[in-house]
């Protein structure tokens, strides 16, 4: 317990006190003898209250004054005396509390309740609306104050029992009868407006109190239950030492009048604050924040709240942090000082929660207070570097966490760090932070990048201790800020080499990753054993890392050429975009056995059309055939298929210059033809290969576009070539004999594809015209037909021109 109020006796009257009410510095006392007394009470900090009788009227009532209520804004006092509700003027300019008006219909009233609503306008003016509920046995009347008089608000409400206590808050009345408590929504009828709550206590008068936060406090035996105006019941009740006779609410305290004392408690948290021993108290009235009046039959005490500056340290020593915050909120300090005090209290509360192993609740408060993340992390030993940890100071010694408690603490820290990480990564987060220290004066981290680095590195360490399955997803994040050396050290210490590779990859430290993969490839027990992870890693690197890819692919190719080749041939965008010329050059220098498979993949799978690769593949095929001494028929078929590819994507002259002159004649013939050297190609077919059929097929393929292939064929059939017509290649000593029959057969089939004059010139003088008659007749007829066709076209064009001229003359005429 701590001292929240100081009690001072104000009055000792020779009269029996029946009722009291107060507002500000004014205290009104109604007596059993009918006297009404008005006092002025001045409370100064550090001094006892000063009381002065301002006025009195011993003839105010002939009977006891049962109930009083004051509305200072209108300078009116509402009194229940002689069974009628009356309104009196309490302005200091008048005397004896003159009557303003009486509520005539209230005759027989047993109690009343006022509702005073204060609303501020945009200009700062406060409007006050006063309403009143009057209880007459089993009826209730409703009034509102206007023009110095109470007017009827609505029709009377009939009840099934007599209300013994009533309180009005907002648009809801709470009433207690001898049997139960009920809520009534003002403005509705009896059936739809009344909501029954729960029975009242045993052999007890019901008591309803309106609290300052607009809730209702309902007494049942020695407990007080709380309910909202909407009827929402709080299941947790405040327990008193005995049945309360009266109660008032002076936030954050509930002050209850008992038979021989006054008890002061709070409802959140539910604790006993203070007990004041007073002789037979029975009445209570709250005059304003921090001032409460307690009355017995003839004594009046003033309870003044102990200053917040004294209460808060007491509460902190008792570790009543929530109450300390509530108390700090009601002090009259400047907004800055109040916020600073509350921040300090809540920080101590969060630290105390942590020390009591309430990690989740502690982290939530730290996050709300925007405490520097490094200070929060420092609560756990071993997560911060020693040189950083040594600079931190805490309100008390830190608990030693082990086993299950340590795991629970780390899980709460993970949730906190994840939330803080999301907050700092938000686009609206400034680059310079303004975190709060956990202990005043300790340096905080203001750089957002540095804060994220500490957060991510700590998350990594927490995951390694609680759930290592989350390590890889964290390290894969593109915005991962883990400290390089610290993360390396912990990952290696935990044998998390796969995750370390991921970390290097995210940080683009590819050489480190590849070196690690290479080191562990020969360790059977390592998760990185073998070459498959290196292959995958290299396949995912972009083209700008080509030198690194080539460097680290060498050991893979030496270990497994087939798998190594996939580094350059896998069906992936990163692989396809590698500089193919650089890869080919490297393979030619370091792994010639993979050159052909690589080139075949480029051309046949990826559809590469660059001449460099087609030329290279042709030459590679050529070398393989020569090395196999012409026994590799498969490669020879591949070479011919590539040479016959249409359209060709190789440079015939470049390739031909590297071909041998003493073999591969068929391939040379194709290359000669692709290079436009058709006569030489036909010489190879006819006089080296001795294959007229191949020569005919060649002519059939190559005719057109003005190529005189058939003319060359005829000439070569009747006149054997000399060595000068086929440079570099030695003609056989015995070439094909002139074959006039074959030449004539060609002319008869393809005469339209040859020029008549050169062919006739090339024929030997011994050639019989009879043998040539068919060819010559067809050739002459073709030329005549061609000439006739030309003449016909010209005539038609001339006729069309004449017609156009005549039409133009007709139009102009």
């Amino acid at each position: 317990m701590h001292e929240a109020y100081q009690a001072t006796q104000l009055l000792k009257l020779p009269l029996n006190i029946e009722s009291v009410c107060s507002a500000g510095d004014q205290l009104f006392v109604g007596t059993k003898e009918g006297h009404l007394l008005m006092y002025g009470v001045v409370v100064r900090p550090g001094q006892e209250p000063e009381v002065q009788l301002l006025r009195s009227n011993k003839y105010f009532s002939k009977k006891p004054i049962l109930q009083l209520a004051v509305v200072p804004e209108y300078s009116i006092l509402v009194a229940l005396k002689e069974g009628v509700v009356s309104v009196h003027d309490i302005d200091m300019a008048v005397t004896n509390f003159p009557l303003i008006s009486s509520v005539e219909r209230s005759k027989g009233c047993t109690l009343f309740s006022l509702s005073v609503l204060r609303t501020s306008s945009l200009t700062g003016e406060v409007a006050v609306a006063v309403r009143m509920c009057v209880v007459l046995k089993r009826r209730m009347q409703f009034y509102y104050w206007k023009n110095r008089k109470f007017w009827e608000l609505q029709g009377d409400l009939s009840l099934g029992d007599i209300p013994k206590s009533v309180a009005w808050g907002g648009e809801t009345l709470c009433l207690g009868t001898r049997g139960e408590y009920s809520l009534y929504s003002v403005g509705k009828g009896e059936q739809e407006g009344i909501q029954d709550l729960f029975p009242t206590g045993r052999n007890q008068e019901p008591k309803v109190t309106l609290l300052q936060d607009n809730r209702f406090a309902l007494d049942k035996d020695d407990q007080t239950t709380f309910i909202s105006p909407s009827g929402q019941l709080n299941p947790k009740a405040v327990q008193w030492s005995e049945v309360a006779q009266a109660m008032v609410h002076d936030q954050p305290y509930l002050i209850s009048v008992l038979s021989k004392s006054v008890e002061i408690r709070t409802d959140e948290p539910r604790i006993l604050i203070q007990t004041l021993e007073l002789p037979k108290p029975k009445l209570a009235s709250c005059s304003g924040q921090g001032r409460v009046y307690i009355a017995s039959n003839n004594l009046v005490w003033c309870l003044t709240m102990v200053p917040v500056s004294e209460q808060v340290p007491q509460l902190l020593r008792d570790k009543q942090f929530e109450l300390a915050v509530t108390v700090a909120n009601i002090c009259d300090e400047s907004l800055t000082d109040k916020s600073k005090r509350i921040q300090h209290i809540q920080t101590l509360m969060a630290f105390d929660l942590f020390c009591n192993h309430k990690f989740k609740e502690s982290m939530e408060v730290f996050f709300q207070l925007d405490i520097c993340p490094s200070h929060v992390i420092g609560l756990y030993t071993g997560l911060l570097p020693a040189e950083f940890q040594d600079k931190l100071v805490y309100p008390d010694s830190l608990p030693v966490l082990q086993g299950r408690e340590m795991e629970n603490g780390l899980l709460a820290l993970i949730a906190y760090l994840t939330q803080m990480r999301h907050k700092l990564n938000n686009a609206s987060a400034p680059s310079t932070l303004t975190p709060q220290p956990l202990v005043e004066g300790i340096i905080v981290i203001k750089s957002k990048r540095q804060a994220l680095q500490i957060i991510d590195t700590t998350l990594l360490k927490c995951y390694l201790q609680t759930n290592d399955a989350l390590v890889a997803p964290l390290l894969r994040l593109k915005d991962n800020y883990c400290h390089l050396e610290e993360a390396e050290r912990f990952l290696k210490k935990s044998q998390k080499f796969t995750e370390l590779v991921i970390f290097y990859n995210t940080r683009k430290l590819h050489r480190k990753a590849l070196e690690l993969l290479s080191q562990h490839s020969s360790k059977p027990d390592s998760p990185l054993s073998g070459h498959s992870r290196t292959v995958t890693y290299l396949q995912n690197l972009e083209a700008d890392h080509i030198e690194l890819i080539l460097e680290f692919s060498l050991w893979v190719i030496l270990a497994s050429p087939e798998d190594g080749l996939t580094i350059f041939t896998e069906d992936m965008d990163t692989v396809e975009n590698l500089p193919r010329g650089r890869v080919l050059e490297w393979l030619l220098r370091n792994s010639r056995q993979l050159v052909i498979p690589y080139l075949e993949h480029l051309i046949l799978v990826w559809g590469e059309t660059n001449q460099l690769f087609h030329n290279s593949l042709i030459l590679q095929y050529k070398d393989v055939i020569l090395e196999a001494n012409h026994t590799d028929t498969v490669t020879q078929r591949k070479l011919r298929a590539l040479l016959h590819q249409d359209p060709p994507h190789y440079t015939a002259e470049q390739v031909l210059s590297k071909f041998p002159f003493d073999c591969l004649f068929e391939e040379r013939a194709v290359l000669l033809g692709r290079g436009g050297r058709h006569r030489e190609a036909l010489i190879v077919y006819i006089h080296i290969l001795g294959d007229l059929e191949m020569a005919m097929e060649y002519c059939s393929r190559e005719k057109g576009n003005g190529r005189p292939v058939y003319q060359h064929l005829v000439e070569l059939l009747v006149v054997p070539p000399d060595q000068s017509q086929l440079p570099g290649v030695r003609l056989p000593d015995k070439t094909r004999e002139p074959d006039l029959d074959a030449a004539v057969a060609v002319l008869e089939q393809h005469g339209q594809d040859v020029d008549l004059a050169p062919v006739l010139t090339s024929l030997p003088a011994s050639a019989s015209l009879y043998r040539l008659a068919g060819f010559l007749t067809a050739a002459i007829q073709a030329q005549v037909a061609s000439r006739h066709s030309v003449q016909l076209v010209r005539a038609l064009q001339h006729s069309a021109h004449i017609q156009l001229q005549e039409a133009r003359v007709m139009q102009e005429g």
Side-chain angles (χ1 to χ4, degrees):
M1 293 193 296
H2 80 279
E3 187 180 32
Y5 289 88
Q6 294 175 338
T8 305
Q9 182 178 314
L10 285 182
L11 303 171
K12 184 175 182 180
L13 302 178
L15 303 167
N16 293 308
I17 299 173
E18 188 71 26
S19 58
V20 293
C21 73
S22 59
D25 292 337
Q26 297 177 341
L27 170 65
F28 298 89
V29 178
T31 68
K32 190 173 183 179
E33 294 80 9
H35 296 197
L36 178 63
L37 309 172
M38 176 180 177
Y39 294 92
V41 182
V42 178
V43 178
R44 293 185 175 88
Q47 300 181 16
E48 291 192 355
E50 300 175 5
V51 61
Q52 179 184 1
L53 179 64
L54 299 179
R55 69 177 75 173
S56 65
N57 185 350
K58 64 181 180 178
Y59 304 111
F60 187 76
S61 175
K62 296 176 183 179
K63 294 182 179 181
I65 304 171
L66 300 178
Q67 191 177 350
L68 294 172
V70 62
V71 185
E73 289 87 352
Y74 289 126
S75 297
I76 59 173
L77 180 72
V78 183
L80 173 56
K81 59 189 180 72
E82 301 172 13
V84 176
V85 176
S86 57
V87 184
H88 300 265
D89 195 339
I90 59 171
D91 193 287
M92 294 303 295
V94 298
T95 58
N96 295 327
F97 314 105
L99 178 68
I100 297 175
S101 61
S102 293
V103 182
E104 298 300 332
R105 292 186 64 236
S106 67
K107 191 170 183 179
C109 171
T110 55
L111 64 105
F112 69 87
S113 177
L114 290 187
S115 167
V116 182
L117 299 176
R118 297 173 176 87
T119 55
S120 299
S121 66
L122 294 175
T123 60
E125 297 179 356
V126 179
V128 181
V130 181
R131 295 176 293 179
M132 180 174 65
C133 168
V134 175
V135 177
L136 296 90
K137 294 187 178 180
R138 298 188 180 185
R139 281 189 302 119
M140 289 198 300
Q141 298 173 348
F142 299 89
Y143 298 90
Y144 67 96
W145 179 257
K146 186 177 181 181
N147 298 330
R148 309 288 282 175
K149 182 179 179 180
F150 275 111
W151 302 81
E152 286 189 33
L153 179 66
Q154 65 177 59
D156 295 357
L157 181 67
S158 297
L159 303 170
D161 202 350
I162 300 173
K164 298 294 183 179
S165 180
V166 176
W168 191 342
E171 298 303 317
T172 304
L173 268 172
C174 186
L175 50 137
T177 64
R178 192 171 296 277
E180 64 182 346
Y181 288 107
S182 305
L183 288 179
Y184 169 66
S185 297
V186 178
K188 295 184 179 180
E190 178 182 352
Q191 297 299 323
E192 68 274 17
I194 294 182
Q195 174 187 351
D196 294 334
L197 299 175
F198 54 85
T200 55
R202 302 183 301 271
N203 302 319
Q204 173 196 357
E205 287 287 314
K207 185 160 57 276
V208 182
T209 304
L210 179 66
L211 305 184
Q212 291 176 345
D213 56 10
N214 223 31
R215 291 179 299 157
F216 297 108
L218 314 179
D219 288 357
K220 182 177 181 181
D221 299 327
D222 58 353
Q223 293 184 339
T224 296
T225 303
F226 305 95
I227 191 167
S228 70
S230 63
Q232 186 174 358
L233 182 68
N234 187 335
K236 297 181 180 179
V238 171
Q239 183 83 37
W240 304 102
S241 300
E242 58 181 89
V243 176
Q245 301 180 45
M247 187 175 70
V248 292
H249 188 210
D250 184 24
Q251 287 184 320
Y253 300 117
L254 294 169
I255 301 168
S256 183
V257 177
L258 308 181
S259 60
K260 295 180 181 180
S261 63
V262 172
E263 261 186 19
I264 302 166
R265 294 179 179 266
T266 55
D267 63 326
E268 288 294 341
R270 286 166 170 72
I271 55 174
L272 173 63
I273 301 299
Q274 188 179 6
T275 300
L276 297 170
E277 300 292 338
L278 300 176
K280 297 181 179 180
K282 66 175 184 178
L283 302 172
S285 174
C286 185
S287 173
Q289 185 66 56
R291 191 186 304 185
V292 176
Y293 296 103
I294 304 294
S296 66
N297 278 337
N298 62 343
L299 297 175
V300 177
W301 295 272
C302 180
L303 306 187
T304 54
M305 188 180 290
V306 173
V308 170
S309 59
E310 297 178 22
Q311 284 196 67
V312 169
Q314 292 184 55
L315 291 168
L316 294 181
R317 284 193 295 272
D318 296 338
K319 298 187 183 299
Q320 297 293 340
F321 301 104
E322 292 182 29
L323 184 56
V325 170
T326 306
V327 171
N329 267 313
I330 65 175
C331 68
D332 295 329
E333 294 176 317
S334 67
L335 189 59
T336 303
D337 291 341
K338 182 186 292 188
S339 298
K340 191 173 181 181
R341 184 192 294 270
I342 292 173
Q343 173 90 11
H344 173 65
I345 295 169
Q346 291 177 322
T347 302
L348 291 177
M349 177 177 69
F351 181 78
D352 184 71
L353 288 169
F354 179 84
C355 292
N356 286 289
H357 298 173
K358 296 181 179 179
F359 305 112
K360 182 176 182 293
E361 296 84 348
S362 172
M363 295 299 132
E364 287 174 352
V365 178
F366 281 134
F367 181 80
Q368 292 168 4
L369 296 177
D370 196 23
I371 300 298
C372 181
S374 65
H375 295 190
V376 178
I377 296 167
L379 294 169
Y380 301 81
T381 56
L383 293 181
L384 290 176
E387 62 275 11
F388 196 99
Q389 182 77 50
D390 293 342
K391 297 177 183 178
L392 300 179
V393 178
Y394 293 98
D396 203 344
S397 58
L398 295 173
V400 178
L401 302 178
Q402 293 179 339
R404 186 65 179 173
E405 292 299 335
M406 183 62 173
E407 184 178 352
N408 291 338
L410 290 175
L411 291 174
L413 179 62
I414 288 170
Y416 161 79
L417 292 174
T418 304
Q419 193 175 12
M420 184 62 72
R421 189 180 195 281
H422 179 74
K423 175 183 175 182
L424 295 182
N425 274 323
N426 192 294
S428 61
S431 57
T432 302
L433 308 176
T434 56
Q436 301 300 314
L438 201 149
V439 173
E440 195 66 33
I442 304 302
I443 191 170
V444 296
I445 295 174
K446 295 184 178 181
S447 165
K448 181 169 80 170
R449 183 174 185 82
Q450 191 177 355
L452 283 167
Q453 188 179 70
I454 290 177
I455 288 171
D456 281 359
T457 307
T458 305
L459 271 174
L460 172 63
K461 296 176 182 178
C462 292
Y463 288 154
L464 286 171
Q465 296 184 58
T466 58
N467 186 358
D468 56 10
L470 296 174
V471 172
L474 171 66
L475 297 177
R476 283 194 182 96
L477 292 174
K478 291 184 179 179
D479 58 354
N480 155 39
Y481 290 90
C482 286
H483 187 272
L484 177 60
E485 290 78 10
E486 194 78 356
E488 271 185 321
R489 185 166 65 86
F490 267 81
L491 288 169
K492 288 178 179 178
K493 182 180 177 182
S494 303
Q495 300 284 303
K496 297 295 180 182
F497 298 111
T498 300
E499 289 78 2
L500 183 55
V501 170
I502 294 171
F503 179 54
Y504 285 147
N505 183 49
T506 306
R507 290 298 180 85
K508 300 189 182 305
L509 299 171
H510 303 303
R511 177 171 291 278
K512 280 197 166 193
L514 291 165
E515 287 173 349
L516 183 66
L517 288 166
S518 176
Q519 292 165 9
H520 284 258
S521 64
S522 57
K523 298 179 180 179
D525 297 333
S526 172
L528 305 180
S529 178
H531 58 263
S532 60
R533 289 183 179 272
T534 301
V535 170
T536 303
Y537 195 99
L538 293 171
Q539 287 170 343
N540 283 279
L541 290 180
E542 300 289 343
D544 51 352
H545 299 290
I546 182 61
E547 297 304 324
L548 201 63
I549 296 170
L550 296 174
E551 178 183 347
F552 283 92
S553 62
L554 181 58
W555 76 263
V556 179
I557 288 174
L558 293 175
S560 174
E562 185 176 344
D563 291 342
L565 180 61
T566 62
I567 297 171
F568 310 110
T569 59
E570 190 65 26
D571 190 16
M572 297 171 59
D573 289 342
T574 49
V575 175
E576 288 194 43
N577 291 329
L578 292 177
R580 298 172 183 179
R582 181 73 183 91
V583 174
L584 175 60
E585 176 190 346
W586 186 86
L587 288 173
L588 285 167
R589 191 170 60 251
N590 295 282
S591 182
R592 295 189 66 88
Q593 76 272 24
L594 295 181
V595 172
I596 288 178
Y598 176 67
L599 290 170
E600 287 179 339
H601 189 88
L602 293 186
I603 294 170
L604 303 178
V605 179
W606 288 347
E608 176 63 69
T609 58
N610 190 300
Q611 292 179 349
L612 168 67
F613 305 108
H614 286 257
N615 291 351
S616 298
L617 183 55
I618 290 170
L619 294 176
Q620 289 297 314
Y621 284 155
K622 178 262 296 182
D623 291 342
V624 169
I625 294 168
L626 293 178
E627 290 171 5
N629 198 21
H630 303 278
T631 60
D632 190 345
T633 57
V634 174
T635 304
Q636 199 155 12
R637 282 197 299 271
K638 289 181 180 180
L639 174 59
R640 291 171 182 173
L642 185 61
L643 292 174
H644 285 292
Q645 192 179 48
D646 196 20
H649 296 295
Y650 54 86
T651 310
E653 292 297 332
Q654 292 183 12
V655 174
L656 192 59
S657 66
K658 295 181 174 59
F659 258 63
F661 293 101
D662 58 350
C663 59
L664 298 178
F665 295 115
E666 184 178 337
E667 290 76 6
R668 171 174 286 276
V670 177
L671 289 171
L672 288 169
R674 294 296 193 188
R677 296 158 66 177
H678 304 293
R679 187 177 187 86
E680 294 178 48
L682 288 170
I683 292 174
V684 172
Y685 283 125
I686 298 171
H687 295 285
I688 295 179
L689 296 175
D691 195 330
L692 179 59
E693 186 177 344
M694 290 180 66
M696 293 291 291
E697 289 177 0
Y698 175 83
C699 291
S700 177
R701 288 197 307 270
E702 299 295 333
K703 70 177 182 179
N705 297 324
R707 298 170 185 164
V709 288
Y710 282 107
Q711 189 167 320
H712 291 319
L713 177 60
V714 172
E715 291 174 356
L716 291 171
L717 286 173
V718 297
V719 181
D722 57 31
Q723 185 63 53
S724 63
Q725 294 185 36
L726 190 62
V729 179
R730 177 178 174 81
L731 289 172
D733 295 336
K734 188 177 180 180
T735 60
R736 183 186 180 95
E737 295 292 331
D739 190 348
L740 183 61
D741 291 339
V744 171
V746 171
L747 288 172
E748 287 176 347
Q749 293 179 28
H750 304 283
Q752 68 275 14
D753 296 319
V754 300
D755 191 355
L756 181 60
V759 168
L760 291 176
T761 304
S762 64
L763 292 175
S766 60
S768 169
L769 288 178
Y770 175 77
R771 295 281 304 278
L772 299 175
F775 158 67
L776 292 173
T777 302
I780 293 170
Q781 287 177 348
Q783 287 195 3
V784 171
S786 175
R787 183 174 181 181
H788 177 69
S789 176
V790 170
Q791 290 174 343
L792 181 61
V793 169
R794 286 179 180 174
L796 289 172
Q797 289 176 341
H798 180 70
S799 175
H801 177 69
I802 296 298
Q803 289 177 0
L804 287 173
Q805 289 283 54
E806 290 177 353
R808 186 167 63 84
V809 170
M810 292 284 292
Q811 235 177 358
E812 291 177 355

